[in-house]
Amino acid sequence: MASTSPASHSIQTINASRTNFPSLTIINKPFLKNLHISLPKTISLRVESSSTAKYNDDVAVDEEMDKIRRLQNGSDVRGVALQGEKGRSVDLTPPAVEAIAESFGEWVIRGLEKAKGVNVSLGRDPRISGKTLSVAVFSGLSRAGCVVFDMGLATTPACFMSTILPTFEYDASIMMTASHLPYTRNGLKFFTKKGGLTSPEVEEICDAAARKYANRLAKVSTTLPTRPIKVDFMSTYAKHLRDIIKERVNHPTHYDTPLKGFQIIVNAGNGSGGFFTWDVLDKLGADTFGSLHLNPDGMFPNHIPNPEEKIAMSLTRAAVLENKADLGIVFDTDVDRSGVVDSEGNPINGERLIALMSAIVLMEHPGTTVVTDARTSMALTKFITNRGGQHCLYRVGYRNVIDKGINLNKDGIETHLMMETSGHGALKENHFLDDGAYMVVKIITEMVRMKLEGSEGGIHSLIKDLEEPLESAELRMVILSEPRYAKAKAFEVIEAFKTYIEQGYLPGWELDACGDCWVSDGCLVDTSDDPAAIDAYMYRAKVSEEENGEYGWVHLRQSIHNPNIAINLQSTIPGGCQYMAKVLRDRFLLPSGMDKILYINEIDKYARNGNLSTDA
């Protein structure tokens, strides 16, 4: 096998006695001869020149254009903005950002059919590259003919809300952030009044930007023809959140301070979330003593701002218990995700957060559909359906999940909650916006309501019957390819996985169509007349065997962030994940020859040991 280093991984396994599985019969045969795979369209350059020098020049230009196109990350743009990452060079440069911002500005102007007076706001998280790249955004938007408004330090949800809240109501907005990624990264998220842009829309913008960049290939000007207009939108956004809590709690004795008597700890991770402490909670009467890492610091010196990050959750848990607080809150860098810790120190993130939000939403909207990504467990489906809800599993990717909810509502299927296990969650009542602060507002409102009604259980009582998967694992297979070819290689692997299942080479494995969930082909393809575009390829297979029946699932998906394929496994019986990993390796990866284009070291170790520790 090749020696490329694998990407990061996470494993969660509850120790239990092993279940005996039948021994595997290895299929020693070449990759299926009758497997024909149609690769997705790739961009190719036709060079027509008799001159070798001209050929080299054209190829160099094509490579520069590809650099811009590769910055697309699904429905946003991300790249390396600062030196400091081993094996990665800076690709999100000021000239690249200027070209992308200009192309976005032109795209907005075309869509509005307005030649003048198109207003666009820009917010950013505290990353140290933000100020320099902001100048590039201002320059690009101005070059496109937009009037630019500088929101300064902001959150991703606030940028969208700046397009709809009076008296701002900008035509569009950009948030500069790379979410939970290291301080060396940065990126752009795009909004209009309709919401976040889709992957095809961002692809169109990046393609136009690539042509501009290749034609220009010059440094961005630090002298702006028109200076941006500085605005304080965050105060308006914070008031908006305060008003929601006051109206929905409707406290009988102190309407303006409904959080009086509650201690709530916020861990902002030195990102943009500190405002929620002093501009929302404090002003509503909450005691926020013991809050952590509120001051913005683009180096993120304490931990990565991420509600999925163990250090972030454990520090928040310790603060809640030490201060005997009622609630702990963890925000990611740009506050489009959140997680909480209850008064007993129980972390509520990932699937538990989906369950909590489902319980709250189903009390308000009985029978509603909840859309999640396809990595959620069978136990979550049971939790939702036991409360009278419908569970629709869909493609991984928060934009995919949210767009699915939007489309279901358009089709007349009431869908009030869309959440991904990463913590991205959107509600129909909040413009289908993934807003970590708004999620917390819902949870706080329910916590106060329960207290007013005399409940002693706390918010954790709402999910006490949620069963945990007995075993779960996430593994990675690095694609052994140049970055420009990685997407096509990933498609080849995942389509081969589908074909192996369909042709019976993985007995007991069946592509999971999620029952009556309006989705077919392993959570990939809509059965609607207008299916959503695919930004990353993936399939989920449910796994059964005679003794235990259906006991787990395997989900393969192409990463849109890095050149690798993620594998998620869940099992309801001891040893199930290890056995599924063995089957995947011995009956698919090796006989198909896919191990020649993938670094399968993690699969191999897990199949042998049931974990990723070094062999004994």
Side-chain angles (χ1 to χ4, degrees), residues 139-198:
S139 178
L141 290 173
S142 297
R143 189 191 289 261
C146 300
V147 181
V148 189
F149 295 82
D150 180 9
M151 292 169 53
L153 187 70
T155 70
T156 293
C159 283
F160 168 71
M161 295 302 290
S162 74
T163 69
I164 61 175
L165 285 184
T167 55
F168 298 87
E169 299 173 302
Y170 303 127
D171 296 300
S173 185
I174 298 175
M175 175 65 182
M176 184 177 292
T177 182
S179 188
H180 61 284
L181 295 179
Y183 76 93
T184 51
R185 306 286 183 98
N186 217 324
L188 303 170
K189 295 184 178 182
F190 308 95
F191 298 94
T192 67
K193 294 178 185 293
K194 296 179 181 179
L197 268 61
T198 64

Side-chain angles (χ1 to χ4, degrees), residues 20 256 309:
N20 292 324
D256 288 326
E309 216 256 344

Side-chain angles (χ1 to χ4, degrees), residues 180 265-271 290-293 300-321 327-333 337-342 345-349:
H180 61 284
I265 285 173
V266 175
N267 182 351
N270 302 111
S291 290
L292 305 168
H293 317 318
F300 311 124
N302 294 290
H303 59 76
I304 296 295
N306 184 359
E308 292 185 280
E309 216 256 344
K310 290 183 178 179
I311 295 176
M313 294 303 289
S314 64
L315 288 174
T316 309
R317 179 181 185 273
V320 167
L321 293 175
L327 187 70
I329 300 166
V330 180
F331 288 124
D332 79 335
T333 313
R337 296 184 298 139
S338 57
V340 297
V341 176
D342 73 2
N346 298 302
I348 303 177
N349 57 0

Side-chain angles (χ1 to χ4, degrees), residues 105 131 156 188 201 362 487 492 498 512 520 557 586 591:
K131 290 185 178 180
T156 293
L188 303 170
E201 289 168 337
L362 282 164
K487 188 172 183 179
E492 180 181 346
K498 173 190 176 184
D512 190 351
S520 63
R557 64 183 171 88
D586 296 339

Side-chain angles (χ1 to χ4, degrees), residues 23 197-198 201 237 358 403 441:
S23 59
L197 268 61
T198 64
E201 289 168 337
Y237 174 63
S358 297
D403 287 345
V441 163

Side-chain angles (χ1 to χ4, degrees), residues 184-487:
T184 51
R185 306 286 183 98
N186 217 324
L188 303 170
K189 295 184 178 182
F190 308 95
F191 298 94
T192 67
K193 294 178 185 293
K194 296 179 181 179
L197 268 61
T198 64
S199 293
E201 289 168 337
V202 176
E203 182 178 3
E204 179 185 344
I205 289 164
C206 286
D207 190 58
R211 292 192 295 272
K212 292 180 187 297
Y213 180 78
N215 290 332
R216 201 170 295 156
L217 289 178
K219 292 183 178 180
V220 63
S221 173
T222 56
T223 303
L224 296 175
T226 305
R227 297 188 66 83
I229 302 167
K230 290 186 177 293
V231 294
D232 176 17
F233 178 76
M234 289 304 294
S235 295
T236 299
Y237 174 63
K239 181 180 182 301
H240 168 70
L241 296 177
R242 293 198 307 270
D243 288 344
I244 291 171
I245 294 175
K246 287 193 287 187
E247 290 168 8
R248 294 182 183 175
V249 170
N250 193 24
H251 202 284
T253 58
H254 38 91
Y255 178 87
D256 288 326
T257 54
L259 302 186
K260 186 178 180 180
F262 289 89
Q263 184 171 9
I264 302 175
I265 285 173
V266 175
N267 182 351
N270 302 111
S272 296
F275 84 98
F276 195 80
T277 308
W278 50 73
D279 249 4
V280 179
L281 299 178
D282 288 348
K283 292 182 178 181
L284 292 176
D287 176 3
T288 57
F289 180 79
S291 290
L292 305 168
H293 317 318
L294 302 181
N295 293 327
D297 186 334
M299 294 296 290
F300 311 124
N302 294 290
H303 59 76
I304 296 295
N306 184 359
E308 292 185 280
E309 216 256 344
K310 290 183 178 179
I311 295 176
M313 294 303 289
S314 64
L315 288 174
T316 309
R317 179 181 185 273
V320 167
L321 293 175
E322 180 182 349
N323 293 279
K324 298 181 179 178
D326 297 286
L327 187 70
I329 300 166
V330 180
F331 288 124
D332 79 335
T333 313
D334 57 325
V335 198
D336 58 359
R337 296 184 298 139
S338 57
V340 297
V341 176
D342 73 2
S343 59
E344 297 177 8
N346 298 302
I348 303 177
N349 57 0
E351 193 162 295
R352 292 176 183 173
L353 184 62
I354 298 175
L356 177 59
M357 290 304 303
S358 297
I360 293 172
V361 169
L362 282 164
M363 286 188 287
E364 298 171 345
H365 305 283
T368 191
T369 293
V370 176
V371 182
T372 72
D373 63 276
R375 293 172 297 184
T376 54
S377 68
M378 294 178 281
L380 181 65
T381 299
K382 179 180 176 182
F383 180 89
I384 291 170
T385 55
N386 281 351
R387 283 160 176 75
Q390 302 292 324
H391 186 196
C392 174
L393 291 92
Y394 196 54
R395 296 203 301 263
V396 174
Y398 73 92
R399 194 69 252 170
N400 293 330
V401 171
I402 294 171
D403 287 345
K404 181 61 178 175
I406 292 171
N407 290 332
L408 288 177
N409 278 287
K410 287 179 179 177
D411 291 340
I413 299 165
E414 188 180 71
T415 306
H416 284 273
L417 177 65
M418 301 118 262
M419 284 198 74
E420 194 186 36
T421 47
S422 65
H424 281 281
L427 289 138
K428 180 180 179 181
E429 69 191 48
N430 190 42
H431 312 283
F432 297 100
L433 173 66
D434 49 322
D435 185 344
Y438 191 87
M439 286 284 169
V440 169
V441 163
K442 294 282 289 184
I443 293 169
I444 289 174
T445 301
E446 183 60 25
M447 177 182 71
V448 177
R449 186 195 64 77
M450 293 174 70
K451 190 71 173 287
L452 288 173
E453 291 180 355
S455 173
E456 298 296 332
I459 59 170
H460 192 266
S461 65
L462 296 176
I463 57 171
K464 62 184 179 181
D465 58 333
L466 175 67
E467 300 172 8
E468 298 287 341
L470 183 64
E471 294 182 344
S472 64
E474 180 171 303
L475 309 170
R476 299 272 172 170
M477 301 186 295
V478 175
I479 300 167
L480 305 178
S481 164
E482 291 183 38
R484 68 171 69 189
Y485 304 124
K487 188 172 183 179

